[in-house]
Amino acid sequence: MRHLIVANWKCNPVSSKEAQRLFDAVAEGIKNINNVETVICPPFLYLSDLKSGASSVKLGGQDCFWEDKGAFTGEISAKQLQNLGVEYVILGHSERRKYLDESIEAVNKKIKAALSTKLKVIFCIGSQTKELGEEMESQLEKGLQGLDKSDVADLIFVYEPVWAISTTKDKVTATPKETLAGSLFIRKILERLFDERTSQTARIIYGGSVDSQNIEGFVREGGVSGGLVGAASLDPDEFVRIVKKVALNVKS
Ligand code: PGA
């Protein structure tokens, strides 16, 4: 399974100049790495500038709207991202649930719109507590409602436990054992919703305080083939170290 590292810049940085500097430093740092897919998801307004430079780094949005166009003030559609040459979109991030009350029904509509415009969806799933149960099960069931098993090939599942995100109060970093349990739980639900083959071939990565010290453990023993990186993606040297650590652990 192809390994993937996604930078989620969230609402950072505050200027396009800084965004370009960050992007260029990452692109330069990983230019010789071919065995890890690297995606940067900056705020929307930097996407077109960053896109114009030739680089092996791919771009993703941090959200998208489900209609192509129309009277939806403030929204950016999946179609608009696709027309810009963006290939990925993060959907269902826990910060959108927390600060914007985003419902899983809305995420489901966004997933369908993104897939129908040929964007690859980075779908975040995770619970508030360490319990692997109803909360995640419902996110998967409702988030994937109406999808066919063939759609799963264009999804990347992120096991993103809220308790492990760097900005969560009293956060605790997950262990590889915990990410393994989380990824197996996701596979179990996917098997029930689709079938065994779909479940076994689904791409799963981990998000929550990923850094260059812990990423190896996750990809070696944690049942995931990469990471969604928030805070550490804002430091280009650290982010490049993360990608390199994954590259070293991938059998080519
Ligand atoms: P973090 O963010 O790496 O800062 O914990 C990860 C995420 O939001 O998924």
Side-chain angles (χ1 to χ4, degrees):
M1 218 169 281
R2 194 149 164 72
H3 281 63
L4 172 73
I5 292 289
V6 182
N8 178 11
W9 286 1
K10 306 189 181 182
C11 189
N12 299 290
V14 292
S15 74
S16 57
K17 207 170 150 193
E18 178 68 4
Q20 191 70 56
R21 195 193 61 77
L22 191 54
F23 184 88
D24 290 346
V26 171
E28 175 63 23
I30 64 161
K31 66 175 187 227
N32 296 322
I33 293 179
N34 310 310
N35 57 355
V36 180
E37 217 172 325
T38 306
V39 179
I40 290 183
C41 302
F44 288 127
L45 75 173
Y46 303 141
L47 279 167
S48 58
D49 280 351
L50 298 179
K51 214 226 126 225
S52 55
S55 143
S56 58
V57 180
K58 294 177 176 162
L59 286 174
Q62 295 176 16
D63 182 41
C64 70
F65 192 59
W66 56 79
E67 298 288 348
D68 285 352
K69 60 178 181 151
F72 307 105
T73 303
E75 294 300 326
I76 309 273
S77 73
K79 188 82 192 154
Q80 288 166 332
L81 289 177
Q82 188 236 4
N83 280 336
L84 208 60
V86 168
E87 292 175 58
Y88 293 80
V89 63
I90 298 173
L91 291 173
H93 194 282
S94 61
E95 283 153 12
R96 299 193 58 83
R97 287 202 295 279
K98 181 175 169 191
Y99 297 112
L100 300 159
D101 281 334
E102 186 172 71
S103 70
I104 192 66
E105 288 75 16
V107 173
N108 175 250
K109 289 205 249 178
K110 293 176 177 190
I111 292 177
K112 287 177 179 158
L115 292 176
S116 72
T117 52
K118 307 277 177 250
L119 292 178
K120 289 200 175 66
V121 172
I122 301 164
F123 177 26
C124 301
I125 299 124
S127 47
Q128 303 291 326
T129 68
K130 287 205 171 187
E131 194 197 338
L132 294 168
E134 208 266 318
E135 194 180 347
M136 278 173 62
E137 195 164 352
S138 152
Q139 287 167 4
L140 282 160
E141 271 172 11
K142 293 181 182 162
L144 302 176
Q145 173 112 47
L147 264 63
D148 186 76
K149 64 179 179 188
S150 62
D151 294 322
V152 177
D154 292 319
L155 285 163
I156 294 121
F157 297 88
V158 188
Y159 174 50
E160 188 217 22
V162 178
W163 48 264
I165 295 181
S166 65
T167 47
T168 299
K169 195 170 163 281
D170 301 327
K171 69 105 187 174
V172 271
T173 307
T175 62
K177 219 171 145 188
E178 285 169 327
T179 65
L180 179 62
S183 70
L184 290 175
F185 184 81
I186 292 172
R187 290 199 198 281
K188 190 175 89 181
I189 308 298
L190 292 178
E191 183 170 342
R192 180 167 67 67
L193 297 177
F194 301 104
D195 57 27
E196 193 188 347
R197 195 167 179 279
T198 306
S199 143
Q200 290 310 315
T201 51
R203 293 174 87 183
I204 305 181
I205 63 175
Y206 164 71
S209 303
V210 169
D211 62 26
S212 63
Q213 300 298 310
N214 60 26
I215 187 68
E216 266 181 300
F218 298 134
V219 296
R220 273 196 201 162
E221 304 144 37
V224 293
S225 50
L228 174 70
V229 188
S233 72
L234 298 172
D235 172 349
D237 295 338
E238 175 65 354
F239 186 70
V240 167
R241 279 194 291 273
I242 294 171
V243 178
K244 286 187 172 167
K245 283 271 175 79
V246 175
L248 281 175
N249 281 279
V250 176
K251 295 177 206 85
S252 0

